[in-house]
Amino acid sequence: MKRPNSTPGEGLTRGRQAIDHLDRELVRLLAERMEAVQEIADFKRQNPDAPLRDDGRERELFEVWSREAVGKGLSGYFAGRVLREILNWSRREQERQLRPKADEAGVGTVRVGFQGVPACYSDLAITKLFETRDHAGLERQGFRSFEAAVDALEAGEVDYALLPIENTIAGSINEVYDLLARRNVTIVGEEILDVEHCLVALPGTKLEDVRVVRSHPVALQQCGEFLDNLVGAVAESYHDTAGAARSIAVEKAVDVAAIASEESAQHYGLTVLKRRVHDQRENMTRFLLIAREPEAFDQRHPSKTSLLLSVNHRQGALLACLQAFADQGVNLTKLESRPQAGTPWEYLFYLDIEGRVNEPAVATALEELRAHTNRLKVLGSYPRCVSVDGAVPVSTPKSAANGLHSANGANGANGANGANGAAATSMPKVPAAPKKNKALKLAGPREDGSRTRVRVGNVEIGGTEFVLMSGPCAVESREQVLEAAAMVKACGARILRGGAFKPRSSPYSFQGLGFEGLDMLREAGRAYEMPVVTEVLRIEDASRIAERADMMQVGARNMQNFALLRELGRLDRPVLLKRGMSATIDEVLMAAEYIMDAGNNQVILCERGIRTFETATRATLDVSAVPVLKSRTHLPVIVDPSHAAGVRDLVLPLALAATAAGADGLIVEAHPRPAEALCDKDQALTREDLEELIHALRPIVAAQGRTSSF
Ligand code: PEP
Ligand code: MN
């Protein structure tokens, strides 16, 4: 634009002044627009029935805006993109306004942990996500590893952790999934960040000077094509992208460049040699905001629920799980499988569904799901990250986002809008789940009368087979447990028992051989092809025991150790829950509920005698508990006659009574030489006693229409 009577230099100055002025005007107008947005947010807050989004209105805005832009000779595409950003911003602002206000004075500084160094992508995602949240200040803390960030969260050193869960190019971040499975935390939000890799270096370094390109291996992989064309430079992996940028600044390395964000270049005083060096156009990372407790959010906000499950081993179980969602019209947005630690060829599934956990359709689907799962953990319900540009997580078909890049920006954005809007309202209304015994949400009987079968190694309990478990009270030596295993195996036992950690009434009695004993038990179990069950006394030992034992026993003395029950609920091992000596049947069931509520459905209940006024027996075997439990829960029920009897001779009659009453199996103490037993010697059966027992059991088991291996 050259005017007469002006030198080229003057024209430049004038043009720049005009732009500066217009930019200031734009900012002023944006601020004014945001004030209007505030008014709308106020209205929506006061009118909880008003819809949060109005797709028709957004579409209209795009049309008007685009028409006006084209009318003024501007590009409809670029005008559309500008509006899209403005709308995203407005929506974020409304979200912030609608977030339930914690005690006004109470919203103090929020501490957020992440993995990496300042200005890494996680750090940038924190900035983006917390734009929509009220806080007096944001304190960020970078950790060495994802695990360290979760440790700090659990210890209360930070309020949240923001961890990456998947990337559109590199896929899922398994370590984070594994942490969610194991730790006592919940997902409360998500954020999607556009990853824009840049090649950054010390000021003065030129592209042709670069001999080494340093970055996280995934980032290097994402920029493969660019690097191939960078003649004379080699790639060098580093534990994170921003860390690579920092290392260049620290080392003052003139021939090294890093692949990192533009922000990290700024942060470490580097310059950008080249922007957008990644091969694929769409490079987005989804982050999860993790907290210790779930958080409330506006009911109108489109939401998502993340779940973890392992299916039981019946044919078609995974299909039945997916069907449960389909039947309720619940949209599944992601399904991912991971191998289960310690159980080769078995898998954990991670699912994302639309909707929140307390919505009737979701609640009904979850209830249905429990019948087909060994483990079901709700990882969290949280507001879905929706943006006008349809920034979508990896699993959404590409076509949904493609509209964005069509020549007509307005139409493209509308297409994405439509898709989002439809998804948010696609859930049909279904009647609430039928009323049940409220207290027993998970352990109570099922609508269809179906019963849970629990798999322990290759043995199923609660099915047609009557299962005998046997072995010594305590593991005393390698020889003793191997001998015992041989003996019980020969008598048709399917599962080997043996205590390695013993809960003894006296601190001076033999306390068990601990992990050494557990290894012996496991060796004997492997040698005679029997899964093993052992008692866990302490929370600290639980996960180590779970790695070695096929089933975890909660003893009578710990039945109401709720912290221990919760811990076992977080692990993926079947639990043998023994009735407390003075626990009512309802209390046993509530104890089972604790384990199931924490995510583990594989619970077997065990009646083992209760304290009464009677002193003729060690405890009084409550035979009636068997049919009562069977009517009040779908869980398998077994009986331990040994600890009720206290003496050898009573074990057989009590075992027969329990079997006739409908128990799914027995757990019986046996020892190759009871006189030498270090624990419960008077009740230990000999080989002859065991033979007599199975002989007497056979007709009763058959009369029950059950099979057995003896
Ligand atoms: C045991 O089974 O070894 C045991 C200690 O049982 P209870 O917890 O039922 O006393
Ligand atoms: Mn015992």
Side-chain angles (χ1 to χ4, degrees):
M1 226 207 290
K2 191 165 181 290
R3 297 179 187 197
N5 304 330
S6 68
T7 64
E10 277 172 47
L12 187 65
T13 312
R14 223 177 5 249
R16 283 185 175 161
Q17 278 168 350
I19 283 176
D20 289 348
H21 168 73
L22 289 168
D23 284 350
R24 273 195 300 274
E25 273 305 284
L26 278 176
V27 172
R28 190 185 58 74
L29 288 169
L30 279 174
E32 228 171 87
R33 192 181 191 285
M34 221 38 106
E35 267 171 46
V37 166
Q38 184 119 1
E39 259 177 63
I40 295 175
D42 283 345
F43 173 83
K44 288 182 182 168
R45 196 173 40 233
Q46 284 151 18
N47 296 277
D49 293 331
L52 216 49
R53 296 187 49 192
D54 184 344
D55 291 329
R57 160 87 182 146
E58 273 178 16
R59 228 182 336 267
E60 206 180 298
L61 269 181
F62 268 106
E63 269 158 30
V64 173
W65 175 281
S66 158
R67 210 178 317 121
E68 293 214 351
V70 173
K72 295 220 163 8
L74 296 173
S75 146
Y77 170 67
F78 285 109
R81 282 184 51 155
V82 171
L83 180 63
R84 207 156 64 209
E85 277 314 313
I86 294 175
L87 287 186
N88 272 333
W89 186 5
S90 307
R91 178 170 313 156
R92 290 281 179 133
E93 188 53 28
Q94 287 195 30
E95 273 171 34
R96 192 175 65 79
Q97 300 282 334
L98 289 169
R99 201 162 269 290
K101 298 265 178 290
D103 166 13
E104 289 292 342
V107 194
T109 297
V110 174
R111 301 161 305 166
V112 191
F114 61 98
Q115 186 271 322
V117 297
C120 68
Y121 288 108
S122 296
D123 196 9
L124 304 182
I126 290 174
T127 306
K128 190 173 174 201
L129 190 144
F130 280 90
E131 285 291 321
T132 61
R133 291 173 157 250
D134 276 322
H135 50 79
L138 201 54
E139 214 173 80
R140 301 140 193 264
Q141 207 178 329
F143 291 91
R144 244 179 331 97
S145 62
F146 299 134
E147 180 147 34
V150 175
D151 284 344
L153 175 62
E154 282 196 327
E157 289 156 18
V158 293
D159 304 305
Y160 299 99
L162 191 81
L163 305 179
I165 190 74
E166 59 180 325
N167 173 270
T168 46
I169 300 176
S172 287
I173 295 145
N174 294 329
E175 200 189 329
V176 174
Y177 269 124
D178 292 344
L179 276 171
L180 289 171
R182 280 188 287 120
R183 308 296 285 269
N184 194 17
V185 292
T186 178
I187 307 171
V188 296
E190 67 172 356
E191 183 58 76
I192 294 171
L193 189 76
D194 275 312
V195 174
E196 301 215 332
H197 288 316
C198 299
L199 189 72
V200 305
L202 282 177
T205 299
K206 286 197 241 15
L207 196 56
E208 54 273 23
D209 302 336
V210 175
R211 292 288 159 268
V212 175
V213 178
R214 191 177 284 168
S215 195
H216 189 279
V218 172
L220 292 171
Q221 191 193 324
Q222 291 171 348
C223 304
E225 218 169 282
F226 169 76
L227 291 173
D228 285 347
N229 292 324
L230 198 63
V231 182
V234 293
E236 182 183 287
S237 72
Y238 204 83
H239 51 80
D240 68 61
T241 56
R246 185 174 66 175
S247 74
I248 293 172
V250 171
E251 293 166 16
K252 305 204 177 356
V254 290
D255 55 354
V256 183
I259 289 174
S261 65
E262 177 149 15
E263 288 84 349
S264 67
Q266 270 167 17
H267 191 90
Y268 296 109
L270 305 180
T271 52
V272 173
L273 294 180
K274 197 165 169 39
R275 286 193 174 73
R276 298 187 69 87
V277 290
H278 44 276
D279 305 338
Q280 287 179 43
R281 206 175 151 165
E282 300 282 356
N283 186 0
M284 288 183 269
T285 298
R286 186 163 77 99
F287 292 83
L288 295 177
L289 185 66
I290 321 277
R292 288 183 293 277
E293 297 292 337
E295 284 181 354
F297 57 97
D298 194 288
Q299 293 292 323
R300 292 165 293 181
H301 201 293
S303 55
K304 211 172 185 181
T305 296
S306 294
L307 306 167
L308 169 160
L309 59 88
S310 68
V311 295
N312 56 28
H313 308 271
R314 255 159 293 147
Q315 221 176 18
L318 180 61
L319 184 65
C321 289
L322 301 183
Q323 191 64 46
F325 293 118
D327 288 347
Q328 297 300 326
V330 174
N331 201 11
L332 189 71
T333 59
K334 182 171 189 204
L335 174 63
E336 172 97 25
S337 73
R338 292 270 305 130
Q340 287 212 60
T343 331
W345 317 121
E346 287 187 14
Y347 297 89
L348 276 180
F349 294 94
Y350 291 91
L351 285 81
D352 284 350
I353 54 174
E354 281 178 6
R356 64 191 77 209
V357 77
N358 54 5
E359 245 166 63
V362 175
T364 310
L366 290 183
E367 200 172 314
E368 169 67 21
L369 218 60
R370 293 206 188 261
H372 307 286
T373 52
N374 285 337
R375 191 170 175 207
L376 177 61
K377 185 177 179 188
V378 176
L379 299 174
S381 284
Y382 48 95
R384 230 169 78 203
C385 182
V386 277
S387 50
V388 178
D389 64 8
V392 280
V394 193
S395 51
T396 308
K398 274 271 178 269
S399 57
N402 277 348
L404 295 182
H405 307 297
S406 63
N408 186 328
N411 280 345
N414 284 341
N417 267 342
N420 279 342
T425 53
S426 67
M427 220 124 46
K429 286 237 179 314
V430 292
K435 283 254 177 304
K436 290 215 312 195
N437 176 351
K438 275 234 159 67
L440 284 183
K441 288 190 188 156
L442 309 173
R446 296 206 187 100
E447 257 328 72
D448 61 359
S450 65
R451 308 199 65 87
T452 286
R453 299 179 200 179
V454 175
R455 266 265 292 253
V456 182
N458 58 347
V459 180
E460 191 175 68
I461 296 129
T464 48
E465 183 181 349
F466 179 87
V467 176
L468 180 64
M469 312 179 193
S470 189
C473 178
V475 177
E476 297 162 5
S477 68
R478 188 167 171 268
E479 293 66 35
Q480 172 249 15
V481 71
L482 279 166
E483 224 180 306
M487 170 180 131
V488 304
K489 174 78 179 184
C491 296
R494 297 274 275 143
I495 295 177
L496 178 65
R497 67 149 287 152
F501 300 89
K502 292 304 302 175
R504 303 305 301 274
S505 301
S506 159
Y508 310 116
S509 304
F510 173 60
Q511 305 284 311
L513 297 180
F515 285 103
E516 220 180 308
L518 180 51
D519 286 339
M520 295 170 188
L521 179 72
R522 190 179 151 90
E523 185 194 340
R526 293 287 177 273
Y528 292 94
E529 294 178 330
M530 285 180 288
V532 300
V533 53
T534 202
E535 179 162 352
V536 47
L537 293 181
R538 309 191 314 160
I539 295 176
E540 306 89 282
D541 300 331
S543 57
R544 251 181 99 190
I545 294 177
E547 285 166 19
R548 295 162 171 82
D550 301 288
M551 177 154 66
M552 320 270 280
Q553 175 176 325
V554 176
R557 291 156 193 82
N558 266 317
M559 191 205 80
Q560 286 188 316
N561 181 341
F562 299 118
L564 180 65
L565 298 176
R566 281 205 181 282
E567 183 62 24
L568 296 182
R570 284 195 279 274
L571 299 172
D572 192 26
R573 275 283 174 270
V575 178
L576 178 62
L577 177 63
K578 298 189 91 175
R579 179 179 183 180
M581 286 179 231
S582 38
T584 64
I585 287 175
D586 277 337
E587 285 165 345
V588 183
L589 290 168
M590 289 315 289
E593 195 78 20
Y594 262 95
I595 301 170
M596 298 174 82
D597 180 54
N600 190 349
N601 298 333
Q602 310 163 83
V603 181
I604 299 172
L605 305 175
C606 180
E607 161 61 37
R608 48 79 71 204
I610 48 174
R611 282 261 165 92
T612 65
F613 51 81
E614 185 53 71
T615 53
T617 46
R618 182 173 174 181
T620 301
L621 185 70
D622 182 8
V623 177
S624 54
V626 177
V628 173
L629 280 171
K630 289 221 134 184
S631 70
R632 294 198 190 175
T633 178
H634 53 81
L635 297 170
V637 180
I638 68 162
V639 169
D640 168 358
S642 304
H643 289 88
V647 291
R648 191 167 303 115
D649 292 349
L650 287 180
V651 174
L652 184 136
L654 296 185
L656 299 186
T659 310
D664 295 301
L666 293 172
I667 183 163
V668 178
E669 287 187 350
H671 196 285
R673 284 170 300 283
E676 294 171 17
L678 294 179
C679 187
D680 287 351
K681 60 161 69 134
D682 297 334
Q683 68 200 36
L685 299 192
T686 62
R687 186 186 183 112
E688 291 70 35
D689 295 330
L690 265 183
E691 281 166 357
E692 198 184 328
L693 173 67
I694 56 172
H695 180 74
L697 276 173
R698 273 186 203 120
I700 300 176
V701 170
Q704 302 273 320
R706 306 188 88 135
T707 59
S708 78
S709 59
F710 46 80

